[in-house]
Coordinates of all heavy atoms in Angstrom, one line a residue:
Chain B
Y247 N 67.6 32.8 1.4 CA 68.8 32.3 0.8 C 68.4 31.6 -0.5 O 69.1 31.9 -1.5 CB 69.4 31.2 1.7 CG 70.6 30.6 1.2 CD1 71.9 31.2 1.4 CD2 70.6 29.4 0.5 CE1 73.0 30.6 0.9 CE2 71.7 28.8 0.0 CZ 72.9 29.4 0.2 OH 74.0 28.8 -0.3
N248 N 67.3 30.9 -0.6 CA 67.0 30.2 -1.8 C 66.7 31.2 -2.9 O 67.0 30.9 -4.1 CB 65.8 29.3 -1.6 CG 66.1 28.0 -0.8 OD1 67.3 27.7 -0.8 ND2 65.2 27.5 -0.2
T249 N 66.2 32.3 -2.6 CA 65.9 33.3 -3.7 C 67.2 34.0 -4.0 O 67.5 34.2 -5.2 CB 64.9 34.3 -3.2 OG1 63.8 33.6 -2.6 CG2 64.4 35.2 -4.3
L250 N 67.9 34.4 -3.0 CA 69.1 35.3 -3.3 C 70.2 34.5 -4.0 O 71.0 35.1 -4.8 CB 69.6 35.9 -2.0 CG 68.7 37.0 -1.4 CD1 69.2 37.3 0.0 CD2 68.7 38.2 -2.3
V251 N 70.3 33.2 -3.7 CA 71.4 32.5 -4.3 C 71.4 32.4 -5.8 O 72.4 32.3 -6.5 CB 71.5 31.0 -3.6 CG1 70.5 30.1 -4.3 CG2 72.9 30.5 -3.7
D252 N 70.1 32.5 -6.4 CA 70.0 32.6 -7.8 C 70.7 33.7 -8.4 O 71.2 33.7 -9.6 CB 68.5 32.6 -8.2 CG 67.8 31.3 -7.9 OD1 68.5 30.3 -7.7 OD2 66.6 31.3 -7.9
F253 N 70.8 34.8 -7.7 CA 71.4 36.1 -8.2 C 72.8 36.2 -7.7 O 73.5 37.2 -7.9 CB 70.6 37.3 -7.7 CG 69.2 37.2 -8.2 CD1 68.2 36.9 -7.3 CD2 68.8 37.6 -9.5 CE1 66.9 36.8 -7.7 CE2 67.5 37.5 -9.9 CZ 66.6 37.1 -9.0
G254 N 73.3 35.2 -7.0 CA 74.7 35.2 -6.4 C 74.8 36.3 -5.4 O 75.8 36.9 -5.1
A255 N 73.6 36.6 -4.7 CA 73.6 37.7 -3.7 C 73.3 37.2 -2.3 O 72.7 37.9 -1.5 CB 72.6 38.8 -4.2
E256 N 73.8 36.0 -2.0 CA 73.4 35.4 -0.7 C 74.0 36.1 0.5 O 73.5 36.0 1.6 CB 73.7 33.9 -0.7 CG 75.2 33.5 -0.7 CD 75.6 33.3 -2.2 OE1 75.0 33.8 -3.1 OE2 76.6 32.6 -2.3
E257 N 75.0 37.0 0.2 CA 75.6 37.8 1.3 C 74.6 38.8 1.8 O 74.7 39.3 2.9 CB 76.8 38.5 0.9 CG 78.1 37.8 1.3 CD 78.5 36.7 0.4 OE1 78.4 36.8 -0.8 OE2 79.0 35.6 0.9
S258 N 73.6 39.2 0.9 CA 72.6 40.2 1.3 C 71.5 39.6 2.2 O 70.6 40.3 2.6 CB 71.9 40.7 0.1 OG 72.9 41.3 -0.8
L259 N 71.7 38.3 2.6 CA 70.7 37.7 3.4 C 70.5 38.5 4.7 O 69.3 38.7 5.1 CB 71.1 36.3 3.7 CG 70.2 35.4 4.5 CD1 68.9 35.2 3.7 CD2 70.8 34.1 4.9
G260 N 71.5 39.0 5.3 CA 71.4 39.7 6.5 C 70.5 41.0 6.3 O 69.7 41.3 7.2
V261 N 70.7 41.7 5.2 CA 69.9 42.9 5.0 C 68.5 42.5 4.8 O 67.6 43.1 5.5 CB 70.4 43.6 3.7 CG1 69.7 44.9 3.5 CG2 71.9 43.7 3.7
L262 N 68.2 41.5 4.0 CA 66.8 41.1 3.8 C 66.1 40.7 5.1 O 65.0 41.2 5.4 CB 66.8 39.8 2.9 CG 65.5 39.2 2.6 CD1 65.2 39.3 1.1 CD2 65.3 37.8 3.1
V263 N 66.8 39.9 5.9 CA 66.2 39.5 7.2 C 66.0 40.6 8.1 O 64.9 40.8 8.7 CB 67.1 38.4 7.8 CG1 66.7 38.1 9.2 CG2 67.1 37.1 7.0
S264 N 67.1 41.5 8.3 CA 67.0 42.5 9.3 C 65.9 43.5 8.9 O 65.1 44.0 9.7 CB 68.3 43.2 9.5 OG 68.6 44.1 8.5
L265 N 65.9 43.9 7.6 CA 64.9 44.9 7.2 C 63.5 44.4 7.3 O 62.6 45.0 7.8 CB 65.1 45.4 5.8 CG 66.3 46.4 5.6 CD1 66.4 46.9 4.2 CD2 66.2 47.5 6.6
S266 N 63.2 43.1 6.9 CA 61.9 42.6 6.9 C 61.4 42.4 8.4 O 60.3 42.7 8.7 CB 61.7 41.3 6.1 OG 62.8 40.5 6.2
L267 N 62.4 42.0 9.3 CA 62.0 41.8 10.7 C 61.7 43.1 11.3 O 60.7 43.4 12.0 CB 63.1 41.0 11.4 CG 63.0 39.5 11.3 CD1 64.2 38.9 11.9 CD2 61.8 39.0 12.0
V268 N 62.7 44.0 11.2 CA 62.7 45.3 12.0 C 61.5 46.2 11.5 O 60.8 46.8 12.3 CB 64.0 46.0 11.9 CG1 63.9 47.4 12.3 CG2 65.0 45.3 12.7
R269 N 61.3 46.2 10.2 CA 60.3 47.1 9.7 C 58.9 46.6 9.8 O 58.0 47.3 10.2 CB 60.5 47.4 8.2 CG 61.6 48.4 8.0 CD 61.7 48.6 6.5 NE 62.6 49.7 6.1 CZ 62.6 50.2 4.9 NH1 61.9 49.8 4.0 NH2 63.4 51.2 4.7
E270 N 58.7 45.3 9.4 CA 57.4 44.8 9.3 C 57.1 43.6 10.3 O 56.2 43.8 11.1 CB 57.1 44.3 7.9 CG 56.9 45.3 6.9 CD 55.6 46.1 7.2 OE1 54.7 45.5 7.7 OE2 55.7 47.3 7.0
L271 N 57.8 42.5 10.1 CA 57.3 41.3 10.8 C 57.4 41.4 12.3 O 56.6 41.0 13.0 CB 58.2 40.1 10.3 CG 57.9 39.7 8.9 CD1 58.9 38.6 8.4 CD2 56.5 39.2 8.8
G272 N 58.5 42.1 12.8 CA 58.6 42.2 14.2 C 57.4 42.9 14.8 O 56.7 42.2 15.6
P273 N 57.1 44.1 14.5 CA 55.9 44.7 15.1 C 54.6 44.0 14.8 O 53.8 43.8 15.7 CB 55.9 46.2 14.5 CG 57.2 46.4 14.0 CD 57.8 45.1 13.6
V274 N 54.4 43.6 13.5 CA 53.0 43.1 13.1 C 52.8 41.7 13.7 O 51.8 41.5 14.4 CB 52.9 43.1 11.6 CG1 51.6 42.3 11.2 CG2 52.9 44.5 11.0
V275 N 53.8 40.8 13.5 CA 53.5 39.4 14.0 C 53.5 39.5 15.6 O 52.6 38.8 16.2 CB 54.6 38.5 13.5 CG1 54.4 37.1 14.1 CG2 54.6 38.4 12.0
T276 N 54.3 40.3 16.2 CA 54.3 40.3 17.7 C 52.9 40.9 18.1 O 52.3 40.4 19.1 CB 55.4 41.3 18.2 OG1 56.6 40.9 17.6 CG2 55.5 41.1 19.7
A277 N 52.4 41.9 17.4 CA 51.1 42.5 17.8 C 50.0 41.4 17.6 O 49.1 41.3 18.5 CB 50.8 43.7 17.0
L278 N 50.0 40.6 16.5 CA 49.0 39.6 16.4 C 49.1 38.5 17.5 O 48.1 38.1 18.0 CB 49.2 38.9 15.0 CG 48.8 39.8 13.8 CD1 49.2 39.2 12.5 CD2 47.4 40.2 13.8
L279 N 50.3 38.1 17.8 CA 50.5 37.2 18.9 C 50.1 37.7 20.2 O 49.4 37.1 21.0 CB 52.0 36.8 19.0 CG 52.6 35.9 17.9 CD1 54.1 35.8 18.0 CD2 51.9 34.5 17.9
F280 N 50.4 39.0 20.4 CA 50.1 39.7 21.6 C 48.5 39.8 21.8 O 48.0 39.6 22.9 CB 50.7 41.1 21.6 CG 50.5 41.9 22.8 CD1 51.3 41.6 23.9 CD2 49.6 43.0 22.9 CE1 51.1 42.4 25.1 CE2 49.5 43.7 24.0 CZ 50.2 43.4 25.1
A281 N 47.8 40.1 20.6 CA 46.4 40.1 20.7 C 45.8 38.8 21.0 O 44.9 38.7 21.8 CB 45.8 40.6 19.3
G282 N 46.4 37.7 20.5 CA 45.9 36.4 20.8 C 46.2 35.9 22.2 O 45.4 35.3 22.9
R283 N 47.5 36.2 22.6 CA 47.9 35.7 23.9 C 47.4 36.6 25.1 O 46.8 36.1 26.0 CB 49.4 35.6 23.9 CG 50.1 35.3 25.2 CD 49.8 33.9 25.7 NE 50.3 33.7 27.0 CZ 49.7 34.2 28.1 NH1 48.7 35.0 28.0 NH2 50.2 34.0 29.3
A284 N 47.8 37.9 25.0 CA 47.5 38.8 26.1 C 46.1 39.5 26.0 O 45.4 39.6 27.0 CB 48.6 39.8 26.3
G285 N 45.8 39.9 24.7 CA 44.6 40.6 24.5 C 43.3 39.8 24.9 O 42.4 40.3 25.6
S286 N 43.3 38.6 24.4 CA 42.1 37.7 24.7 C 42.0 37.5 26.2 O 40.9 37.5 26.8 CB 42.2 36.4 24.0 OG 43.4 35.8 24.3
A287 N 43.2 37.3 26.9 CA 43.2 37.1 28.3 C 42.6 38.3 29.1 O 41.8 38.2 30.0 CB 44.6 36.7 28.8
L288 N 43.0 39.5 28.6 CA 42.6 40.7 29.2 C 41.1 40.8 29.1 O 40.4 41.1 30.1 CB 43.2 41.9 28.6 CG 44.7 42.2 29.0 CD1 45.2 43.4 28.2 CD2 44.8 42.5 30.5
T289 N 40.6 40.6 27.9 CA 39.1 40.7 27.7 C 38.3 39.7 28.6 O 37.4 40.1 29.2 CB 38.8 40.4 26.2 OG1 39.6 41.2 25.4 CG2 37.3 40.7 25.9
A290 N 38.8 38.5 28.6 CA 38.1 37.5 29.3 C 38.1 37.8 30.8 O 37.1 37.7 31.5 CB 38.8 36.1 29.1
E291 N 39.3 38.3 31.3 CA 39.4 38.7 32.7 C 38.5 39.8 33.1 O 37.7 39.7 34.0 CB 40.9 39.1 33.0 CG 41.2 39.1 34.4 CD 42.7 39.6 34.6 OE1 43.3 39.9 33.6 OE2 43.1 39.6 35.8
V292 N 38.5 40.9 32.3 CA 37.7 42.1 32.6 C 36.2 41.7 32.4 O 35.4 42.1 33.2 CB 38.1 43.3 31.8 CG1 37.2 44.4 32.0 CG2 39.5 43.7 32.1
G293 N 35.9 41.0 31.3 CA 34.5 40.6 31.1 C 34.0 39.7 32.2 O 32.8 39.9 32.6
L294 N 34.8 38.8 32.7 CA 34.3 38.0 33.8 C 34.1 38.8 35.1 O 33.2 38.6 35.9 CB 35.3 36.9 34.0 CG 34.7 35.6 34.5 CD1 33.8 35.0 33.4 CD2 35.8 34.5 34.8
M295 N 35.1 39.8 35.3 CA 34.9 40.7 36.4 C 33.6 41.4 36.4 O 32.9 41.6 37.4 CB 36.0 41.7 36.5 CG 37.3 41.2 37.1 SD 38.4 42.6 37.1 CE 39.8 41.9 38.0
K296 N 33.2 41.8 35.1 CA 32.0 42.5 35.0 C 30.8 41.6 35.2 O 29.8 41.9 35.9 CB 31.9 43.1 33.5 CG 30.7 44.0 33.4 CD 30.6 44.5 32.0 CE 29.4 45.5 31.9 NZ 29.1 45.8 30.5
S297 N 30.8 40.4 34.6 CA 29.7 39.5 34.7 C 29.5 39.0 36.1 O 28.4 38.6 36.6 CB 29.8 38.4 33.7 OG 30.9 37.6 34.0
T298 N 30.6 38.9 36.9 CA 30.4 38.5 38.3 C 30.3 39.7 39.2 O 30.4 39.6 40.4 CB 31.6 37.7 38.8 OG1 32.8 38.4 38.5 CG2 31.7 36.3 38.1
E299 N 30.0 40.8 38.6 CA 29.7 42.1 39.3 C 30.8 42.6 40.3 O 30.5 43.2 41.2 CB 28.3 41.9 40.0 CG 27.2 41.6 39.0 CD 25.9 41.7 39.6 OE1 25.8 41.6 40.9 OE2 24.9 41.9 38.9
Q300 N 32.0 42.2 39.9 CA 33.1 42.7 40.8 C 33.3 44.2 40.5 O 33.7 45.0 41.4 CB 34.4 42.0 40.4 CG 34.4 40.5 40.8 CD 35.7 39.9 40.5 OE1 36.8 40.4 40.8 NE2 35.6 38.7 40.0
L301 N 33.1 44.6 39.2 CA 33.3 46.0 38.8 C 32.2 46.9 39.5 O 32.6 47.9 40.1 CB 33.2 46.2 37.3 CG 34.3 45.5 36.5 CD1 34.2 45.8 35.0 CD2 35.7 45.9 37.0
S302 N 31.0 46.4 39.5 CA 30.0 47.3 40.2 C 30.2 47.2 41.7 O 29.9 48.2 42.4 CB 28.5 46.8 39.8 OG 28.5 45.5 39.4
G303 N 30.7 46.1 42.2 CA 31.0 46.1 43.6 C 32.1 47.1 44.0 O 31.9 47.8 45.0
M304 N 33.1 47.3 43.1 CA 34.1 48.3 43.3 C 33.4 49.7 43.4 O 33.7 50.6 44.2 CB 35.1 48.3 42.3 CG 36.2 47.3 42.5 SD 37.4 47.4 41.2 CE 38.3 45.9 41.6
E305 N 32.5 49.9 42.4 CA 31.8 51.2 42.3 C 31.1 51.5 43.6 O 31.0 52.6 44.1 CB 30.9 51.3 41.1 CG 31.5 51.9 39.9 CD 30.7 51.7 38.7 OE1 29.4 51.6 38.8 OE2 31.2 51.6 37.6
M306 N 30.5 50.4 44.1 CA 29.7 50.5 45.4 C 30.6 51.0 46.5 O 30.2 51.7 47.4 CB 29.3 49.1 45.7 CG 27.8 48.8 45.9 SD 26.8 49.9 45.0 CE 25.8 48.7 44.2
M307 N 31.9 50.6 46.5 CA 32.8 51.0 47.5 C 33.6 52.3 47.2 O 34.6 52.6 47.7 CB 33.9 49.9 47.7 CG 33.3 48.6 48.3 SD 34.5 47.4 48.6 CE 35.1 46.9 47.1
A308 N 33.0 53.0 46.2 CA 33.6 54.3 45.8 C 35.0 54.1 45.2 O 35.8 55.0 45.4 CB 33.5 55.3 46.9
V309 N 35.3 52.9 44.7 CA 36.6 52.7 44.0 C 36.3 52.7 42.5 O 35.4 52.0 42.0 CB 37.2 51.3 44.3 CG1 38.5 51.1 43.5 CG2 37.5 51.3 45.8
D310 N 36.9 53.6 41.8 CA 36.7 53.7 40.3 C 37.3 52.5 39.6 O 38.5 52.3 39.6 CB 37.3 55.0 39.8 CG 37.0 55.2 38.3 OD1 36.4 54.3 37.7 OD2 37.4 56.3 37.8
P311 N 36.5 51.6 39.1 CA 37.1 50.4 38.5 C 38.0 50.7 37.3 O 38.9 49.9 37.0 CB 35.9 49.6 38.0 CG 34.7 50.5 38.0 CD 35.0 51.6 39.0
V312 N 37.7 51.8 36.6 CA 38.6 52.1 35.4 C 40.0 52.4 36.0 O 41.0 52.0 35.4 CB 38.0 53.3 34.6 CG1 39.0 53.8 33.6 CG2 36.7 52.9 33.9
R313 N 40.1 53.2 37.0 CA 41.4 53.5 37.6 C 42.1 52.3 38.2 O 43.3 52.1 38.1 CB 41.3 54.6 38.6 CG 41.2 56.0 38.0 CD 40.7 57.0 39.0 NE 40.3 58.2 38.3 CZ 41.0 59.3 38.2 NH1 42.1 59.4 38.9 NH2 40.6 60.3 37.5
R314 N 41.3 51.5 38.9 CA 41.9 50.4 39.7 C 42.2 49.2 38.8 O 43.2 48.5 39.0 CB 40.9 50.1 40.8 CG 41.3 48.9 41.7 CD 42.4 49.4 42.6 NE 42.8 48.4 43.6 CZ 43.4 47.2 43.3 NH1 43.7 47.0 42.0 NH2 43.7 46.3 44.2
V315 N 41.3 48.9 37.9 CA 41.4 47.6 37.1 C 41.9 47.9 35.7 O 42.9 47.2 35.2 CB 40.1 46.9 37.0 CG1 40.1 45.7 36.1 CG2 39.6 46.5 38.4
I316 N 41.4 48.9 35.0 CA 41.6 49.1 33.6 C 43.0 49.8 33.4 O 43.8 49.3 32.6 CB 40.5 49.9 32.9 CG1 39.2 49.2 33.1 CG2 40.8 50.0 31.4 CD1 39.0 47.9 32.5
A317 N 43.2 50.9 34.1 CA 44.4 51.7 33.8 C 45.7 50.9 34.0 O 46.6 51.0 33.1 CB 44.4 53.0 34.7
P318 N 45.9 50.1 35.0 CA 47.2 49.4 35.1 C 47.4 48.4 34.0 O 48.5 48.3 33.5 CB 47.1 48.7 36.5 CG 45.8 49.0 37.1 CD 45.1 50.0 36.3
R319 N 46.3 47.8 33.6 CA 46.4 46.8 32.5 C 46.8 47.5 31.2 O 47.5 47.0 30.4 CB 45.1 46.0 32.3 CG 44.9 45.0 33.4 CD 43.5 44.5 33.4 NE 43.3 43.3 34.3 CZ 43.3 43.4 35.6 NH1 43.4 44.6 36.2 NH2 43.2 42.3 36.4
F320 N 46.2 48.7 31.0 CA 46.4 49.5 29.8 C 47.9 49.9 29.7 O 48.6 49.7 28.7 CB 45.5 50.7 29.8 CG 45.6 51.5 28.5 CD1 45.0 51.1 27.4 CD2 46.4 52.6 28.5 CE1 45.1 51.8 26.2 CE2 46.5 53.4 27.3 CZ 45.9 53.0 26.2
L321 N 48.4 50.4 30.8 CA 49.8 50.8 30.9 C 50.7 49.6 30.7 O 51.7 49.7 29.9 CB 50.1 51.5 32.2 CG 51.4 52.2 32.3 CD1 51.5 53.3 31.3 CD2 51.7 52.8 33.7
A322 N 50.4 48.5 31.3 CA 51.2 47.3 31.1 C 51.3 46.9 29.7 O 52.4 46.6 29.2 CB 50.7 46.2 32.0
G323 N 50.1 46.9 29.0 CA 50.2 46.5 27.6 C 51.0 47.4 26.7 O 51.7 47.0 25.8
F324 N 50.8 48.7 27.0 CA 51.5 49.7 26.3 C 53.0 49.6 26.5 O 53.8 49.8 25.5 CB 51.0 51.1 26.9 CG 51.4 52.3 26.2 CD1 51.0 52.5 24.9 CD2 52.2 53.2 26.8 CE1 51.4 53.6 24.2 CE2 52.5 54.4 26.1 CZ 52.2 54.6 24.8
I325 N 53.5 49.3 27.7 CA 54.9 49.1 27.9 C 55.4 47.8 27.3 O 56.5 47.8 26.7 CB 55.2 49.1 29.4 CG1 54.9 50.5 30.0 CG2 56.7 48.8 29.7 CD1 55.0 50.5 31.5
S326 N 54.6 46.7 27.4 CA 55.1 45.4 27.0 C 55.3 45.3 25.5 O 56.3 44.7 25.1 CB 54.2 44.3 27.4 OG 53.8 44.4 28.7
M327 N 54.4 45.9 24.7 CA 54.4 45.6 23.3 C 55.8 46.0 22.6 O 56.3 45.1 21.9 CB 53.3 46.3 22.6 CG 52.4 45.7 21.6 SD 53.0 44.2 20.8 CE 53.6 44.9 19.3
P328 N 56.3 47.2 22.8 CA 57.6 47.5 22.1 C 58.7 46.6 22.6 O 59.6 46.2 21.8 CB 57.9 48.9 22.5 CG 56.7 49.4 23.3 CD 55.8 48.4 23.5
L329 N 58.7 46.2 23.9 CA 59.8 45.3 24.4 C 59.7 43.9 23.7 O 60.6 43.4 23.3 CB 59.7 45.2 25.9 CG 59.9 46.5 26.7 CD1 59.6 46.2 28.1 CD2 61.3 47.0 26.5
L330 N 58.4 43.4 23.6 CA 58.2 42.1 23.0 C 58.6 42.2 21.5 O 59.2 41.3 21.0 CB 56.8 41.7 23.1 CG 56.3 41.3 24.5 CD1 54.8 41.2 24.6 CD2 57.0 40.1 25.0
A331 N 58.2 43.3 20.8 CA 58.6 43.4 19.4 C 60.1 43.4 19.2 O 60.6 42.8 18.3 CB 57.9 44.6 18.8
A332 N 60.8 44.1 20.1 CA 62.2 44.2 20.0 C 62.8 42.8 20.2 O 63.8 42.4 19.5 CB 62.8 45.2 21.0
M333 N 62.3 42.0 21.2 CA 62.8 40.7 21.4 C 62.5 39.8 20.1 O 63.4 39.1 19.7 CB 62.0 40.0 22.5 CG 62.4 40.6 23.9 SD 61.4 39.7 25.1 CE 61.5 40.9 26.4
F334 N 61.4 40.0 19.5 CA 61.0 39.2 18.4 C 62.0 39.5 17.2 O 62.6 38.5 16.7 CB 59.6 39.6 17.9 CG 59.1 38.7 16.8 CD1 58.2 37.7 17.0 CD2 59.4 39.0 15.5 CE1 57.7 36.9 16.0 CE2 58.9 38.3 14.4 CZ 58.0 37.2 14.7
S335 N 62.3 40.8 17.0 CA 63.2 41.1 15.9 C 64.6 40.6 16.2 O 65.3 40.0 15.3 CB 63.3 42.6 15.7 OG 62.0 43.1 15.4
A336 N 65.1 40.8 17.4 CA 66.4 40.4 17.8 C 66.6 38.8 17.7 O 67.6 38.4 17.0 CB 66.8 40.8 19.2
I337 N 65.6 38.1 18.2 CA 65.8 36.6 18.1 C 65.6 36.1 16.7 O 66.2 35.2 16.3 CB 64.8 35.9 19.1 CG1 65.2 34.5 19.4 CG2 63.4 35.9 18.6 CD1 65.9 34.3 20.6
G338 N 64.8 36.9 15.9 CA 64.6 36.5 14.5 C 65.9 36.6 13.7 O 66.3 35.8 12.9
V339 N 66.7 37.7 14.0 CA 67.9 37.9 13.3 C 68.9 36.8 13.7 O 69.6 36.3 12.9 CB 68.5 39.3 13.7 CG1 69.9 39.4 13.2 CG2 67.7 40.4 13.0
I340 N 68.9 36.5 15.0 CA 69.8 35.4 15.5 C 69.4 34.1 14.8 O 70.2 33.3 14.3 CB 69.7 35.3 17.0 CG1 70.3 36.5 17.6 CG2 70.4 34.0 17.5 CD1 70.1 36.6 19.1
G341 N 68.0 33.8 14.7 CA 67.6 32.6 14.0 C 68.1 32.5 12.6 O 68.5 31.5 12.1
A342 N 67.9 33.7 11.9 CA 68.4 33.7 10.5 C 69.9 33.5 10.4 O 70.4 32.9 9.5 CB 68.0 35.1 9.9
F343 N 70.6 34.0 11.4 CA 72.1 33.9 11.4 C 72.4 32.4 11.6 O 73.3 31.8 10.9 CB 72.7 34.7 12.5 CG 74.2 34.5 12.6 CD1 75.0 35.1 11.6 CD2 74.7 33.8 13.6 CE1 76.4 34.9 11.6 CE2 76.1 33.7 13.7 CZ 76.9 34.2 12.7
I344 N 71.7 31.7 12.5 CA 71.9 30.3 12.7 C 71.7 29.5 11.4 O 72.6 28.7 11.0 CB 71.0 29.8 13.8 CG1 71.4 30.4 15.2 CG2 71.1 28.3 13.9 CD1 70.4 30.1 16.3

Side-chain angles (χ1 to χ4, degrees):
Chain B
Y247 181 83
N248 285 337
T249 313
L250 289 172
V251 80
D252 290 345
F253 303 100
E256 63 269 25
E257 259 84 40
S258 304
L259 186 65
V261 185
L262 179 121
V263 168
S264 78
L265 286 185
S266 38
L267 275 172
V268 162
R269 282 183 170 192
E270 282 299 325
L271 290 173
V274 172
V275 178
T276 313
L278 291 172
L279 290 171
F280 185 76
R283 169 69 187 74
S286 56
L288 284 176
T289 308
E291 194 183 3
V292 175
L294 213 64
M295 277 186 176
K296 188 183 181 191
S297 63
T298 52
E299 302 191 337
Q300 295 181 43
L301 295 183
S302 28
M304 279 182 188
E305 265 169 30
M306 241 22 131
M307 294 186 289
V309 175
D310 184 354
V312 171
R313 277 163 198 258
R314 179 70 176 72
V315 174
I316 305 292
R319 284 167 172 75
F320 185 79
L321 190 63
F324 188 63
I325 296 173
S326 310
M327 223 345 258
L329 297 175
L330 290 170
M333 286 179 206
F334 187 96
S335 302
I337 196 102
V339 169
I340 293 171
F343 178 72
I344 293 171

